[in-house]
Amino acid sequence: MTAYIIGFILLIITLIIIGLLLRKRIYDQVDRLENWKMEIMSRNIASELSRIKVLNLSGETQEKFESWKGRWDFILTKELPDIEEYLFDAEDAADHYRIPTAKKTLQTINVKLETVEKDLEKILSELEELIHSEETSRKEIAELQPNIKGLRKQISQNRYQYGKADVRFEVELDELDQKLNRYFELTESGNYIEAKHLVDELKENLDETKVHIEEFPGLLKSCKHELPAQLDDLSSGMKTMKEDGYRIEHLGFENEISGYQQRLLDCITALEKGEVETAKETIEEIDHRTAEMYELLEKEAVAKGYIESNMANYERTLDEIASTFQETKVEVETLRKTYYVDDQDTEKYISLEKEINSLRKQLEELKEKLEDSDTAHSELRSMVENGLDQMKEITKNHDAFKDRMLNLRKDEMEAKERVANMQDEINAIHRRLQKSNIPGVPSFIWNAMDEAMDKNNRVLAALDKQPLDMAEVQQALRDGAASIEQLSEQTDMMLDQAYLTEQVIQYANRYRSKFPLLAAKLEESERLFRSYEYELSLEHAAKAIEEVEPGALKRIEEYQLASSEG
């Protein structure tokens, strides 16, 4: 029972503590909001609003001032006192532990203070914008006025540079002056924001007018004098070129120049009407196209000079190639009687002849076009350049073909030398066998030698064929070389085995009297040795000596190797 009482008391104490903590939080928030309210009340908004008095308090400015002042008075006389009452209510609710009610009241106060804060920020922002607009506009107008006067003076002093367009520019400057006067009217009536927009528009119009006035003399000069003079010079130059034999009719510049001359007249009219961008595009187009025309005419002039300088060389080079190929043709026919020319070389040979014949036809066509006057020199130059490039390629391929034909004879001589060397190798192996002092030569060695001889004879037979097929000769040489290499390897191995067997038997003789079984094996080894079976003889002798003296075979081999190297 006592435990329940104690627990109940502890619960009450806990609830009291929680209530006190929650109430403390409410009081803290009340203090924070009270400080916020007091900070708003202490702001010198009236002093800020008094800054507007430097402006004309009429029209839009007066409306804004009255609106801002009314809003600030309402905040001071109504909203902030109401917030004070809310703060008392929240504090009273906290005193009586009505925490939810206090929190709701505090939330309402917070929303109202935030609204007041935003309204004040808006008032000060609009005030600053208005004052800044007035100040900026005043400074800009002070700069714009002399600029307008300067442009009017420039037109007045240089009317000859503007032709009929001087009236249009005067009208544009009058319109700018009207907007300037409108600005002063707006500021007098207190409409500074609208005046600022008008100043921005005035600046943009003035900049555009200034650019047009500054550009106009140059554009008019281009349309009236510079470009017409260029077109006249171009026409005159084309006439001279035609008289000098240049082929430029295909370019069709006459009609194009006539069209541009008419467009320049239209361009002058467009400028006088104020269509500056249209005129600029026309001038840029004609200027660019005129440069292209000069470039194309120069290309034709250079092409004519190129033709005159290279035509003789073109014909002479082709004659030299044809003459050289004719000599090669005779040589090839002679070689074909002796050597076999493969299909690939034959195709290249035929291709060379076709290309030379094609160039001859092209030369005739070129001469015909030079006789008439319909083909441009630039086109003829391309034909000459392509032909010269083809001749370089033909010369290169022709030289490579001649080298291959010469290599047929060289390959034949090298093949004969190689087959003689191969025969010498076979003879050297045969002499070595005769001097070897072994009981005899195994049959497989003689068979290998016969095969090597046979393949060597095949090379000789291939070399005797008419016409000579070097591909067949080369294959026969490869087969013969492989056969001789195999013969040499087999001979070396057989002789090494025979000599090693003799050494093993001589070394093992020291144990014959002590080991009857070893003596019997040695006798079998000797029998095989006399039967030319050197590999089996070595196996028997090696096995016998290893049973008596392990490692003996290795020592004998090392001794034999050292002796042979010595």
Side-chain angles (χ1 to χ4, degrees), residues 530-551:
R530 289 189 296 273
S531 300
Y532 318 151
E533 297 184 16
Y534 303 113
E535 185 175 359
L536 287 174
S537 175
L538 178 59
E539 289 179 6
H540 279 71
K543 186 176 181 182
I545 191 63
E546 285 294 319
E547 290 176 354
V548 175
E549 184 183 338

Side-chain angles (χ1 to χ4, degrees), residues 19-123:
L20 291 172
L21 290 173
L22 292 173
R23 191 167 66 175
K24 176 68 168 55
R25 290 182 181 178
I26 297 297
Y27 291 156
D28 290 343
Q29 291 189 49
V30 168
D31 291 342
R32 180 181 65 81
L33 295 172
E34 176 69 22
N35 291 335
W36 189 358
K37 185 204 73 166
M38 295 303 295
E39 190 271 331
I40 291 174
M41 290 180 67
S42 67
R43 292 181 191 175
N44 198 1
I45 300 299
S47 175
E48 289 291 328
L49 291 176
S50 67
R51 293 168 58 198
I52 201 172
K53 292 181 180 179
V54 299
L55 307 179
N56 294 323
L57 282 176
S58 59
E60 181 186 25
T61 303
Q62 185 176 3
E63 291 176 7
K64 285 184 176 292
F65 176 74
E66 290 176 355
S67 172
W68 297 335
K69 188 174 181 303
R71 177 64 182 133
W72 174 239
D73 290 342
F74 184 77
I75 290 170
L76 288 177
T77 59
K78 175 62 177 171
E79 293 193 6
L80 292 181
D82 288 347
I83 289 171
E84 183 67 27
E85 291 295 327
Y86 280 119
L87 288 170
F88 285 137
D89 293 343
E91 197 169 33
D92 181 65
D95 290 341
H96 294 86
Y97 292 98
R98 297 198 304 273
I99 304 302
T101 301
K103 285 185 176 181
K104 187 175 181 181
T105 303
L106 291 174
Q107 186 177 4
T108 301
I109 296 170
N110 196 77
V111 170
K112 287 182 175 295
L113 286 172
E114 285 180 351
T115 302
V116 169
E117 195 72 65
K118 288 179 181 177
D119 287 348
L120 291 178
E121 287 178 3
K122 182 179 178 183
I123 288 171

